[in-house]
Amino acid sequence: MQYIPRVKNKYLRWSLRVVAGFFIITFAWVILLAVINPPITWLMVQRGIERKADGKEWKITKKWIRYDDLSDNLKRAAIAGEDARFMEHWGLDRKAIADAYQRNKDGGRLRGGSTISQQTAKNVFLWPRRSWIRKGFETYFTLLIELFWSKKRILEVYLNVIETGDGLYGAEAATQHYFGKSAQSLTKRQAALIVAVLPNPRRWSPAKPTAFINRKANTIVRYMGYSEIP
């Protein structure tokens, strides 16, 4: 008669240990990356494997550049193009999520309501394939980085790990490749072009913008003056 309660208690203790371990590990992971730059991301590895599968050479080109050394034009362009309320929200932009939900519901082009914080959490801590499970973890890590990181750190990490081309990651690799210069000295137009292609950087190129990318970049430039940066 006592066997069943003992088994239940055993599994309960095991479950509590797993949950406690998860929180301890993830909290420590986030706190550690508040001061240490992430060396690689899941997406970088996946893209490298995809290149090898296609018969291409392994390629992960990236170079970390400190927040203070990044062009303010790039910071403003990222906020104007990707997350206009970056300085106001706590990781989740409810208005952007609601707008995206309504647009998708009405049959418009599918798009998300992800903030820069959410994209950073996804890029640094998670895998790229979309699923409700990943979205749940993305929300969790987004709240953690908003809690333990500053807005400046979030934007710095975002601009250094974001995919910017085939085998290219971060602003410095992109600007060196496309414009032959450092991300320290981007013009407004160049910064806007880099941000404009972020939704699909392996399809579009800042150096050879399509009419669509040019229009998008022009819009970003117009709004850059209203973008508050940390």
Side-chain angles (χ1 to χ4, degrees):
M1 296 295 293
Q2 295 179 351
Y3 178 73
I4 294 178
R6 285 178 179 174
V7 170
K8 288 183 177 179
N9 289 337
K10 177 181 178 181
Y11 282 110
L12 177 61
R13 289 195 298 271
W14 181 84
S15 299
L16 290 174
R17 287 171 183 167
V18 169
V19 171
F22 170 79
F23 282 114
I24 291 171
I25 291 171
T26 53
F27 271 56
W29 192 7
V30 171
I31 292 171
L32 184 66
L33 292 187
V35 294
I36 296 177
N37 300 330
I40 200 167
T41 68
W42 195 321
L43 178 63
M44 294 177 190
V45 174
Q46 178 178 311
R47 293 288 192 245
I49 293 173
E50 290 172 354
R51 284 180 60 87
K52 293 292 288 185
D54 291 338
K56 301 177 182 178
E57 65 177 5
W58 179 275
K59 180 183 178 184
I60 298 178
T61 303
K62 59 188 179 69
K63 181 180 179 181
W64 196 277
I65 186 166
R66 296 186 312 118
Y67 179 86
D68 292 338
D69 292 332
L70 286 166
S71 166
D72 284 352
N73 286 331
L74 182 62
K75 300 168 192 172
R76 294 185 190 280
I79 292 174
E82 294 290 292
D83 187 1
R85 286 179 283 273
F86 176 66
M87 295 298 294
E88 302 170 13
H89 61 65
W90 284 82
L92 305 175
D93 188 339
R94 289 180 294 178
K95 185 178 186 305
I97 293 171
D99 289 346
Y101 171 78
Q102 190 60 49
R103 189 177 294 106
N104 297 340
K105 183 179 177 183
D106 293 342
R109 185 172 61 88
L110 287 178
R111 59 176 295 179
S114 294
T115 64
I116 284 175
S117 301
Q118 287 174 276
Q119 293 180 59
T120 303
K122 176 194 70 177
N123 289 334
V124 174
F125 299 101
L126 301 170
W127 60 96
R129 186 177 297 276
R130 291 183 178 183
S131 70
W132 286 111
I133 293 176
R134 197 216 68 187
K135 200 66 178 178
F137 280 119
E138 178 185 303
T139 300
Y140 171 73
F141 278 106
T142 296
L143 296 176
L144 283 189
I145 65 174
E146 284 282 347
L147 178 63
F148 291 111
W149 297 6
S150 65
K151 287 288 189 180
K152 181 183 291 188
R153 179 59 174 171
I154 293 172
L155 188 56
E156 177 187 27
V157 173
Y158 173 78
L159 292 173
N160 275 287
V161 302
I162 194 75
E163 185 179 28
T164 50
D166 187 14
L168 302 175
Y169 302 91
E172 184 67 8
T175 53
Q176 291 283 359
H177 179 78
Y178 295 119
F179 303 121
K181 62 195 300 185
S182 171
Q184 295 175 296
S185 55
L186 283 170
T187 65
K188 288 183 178 181
R189 175 71 179 170
Q190 290 168 338
L193 284 168
I194 287 175
V195 172
V197 305
L198 289 182
N200 197 338
R202 294 187 298 165
R203 174 186 176 187
W204 297 314
S205 167
K208 298 178 180 179
T210 63
F212 168 72
I213 293 300
N214 270 320
R215 289 194 301 270
K216 188 175 179 181
N218 290 339
T219 301
I220 291 172
V221 170
R222 284 200 301 271
Y223 284 99
M224 282 171 63
Y226 301 99
S227 299
E228 180 187 356
I229 60 175

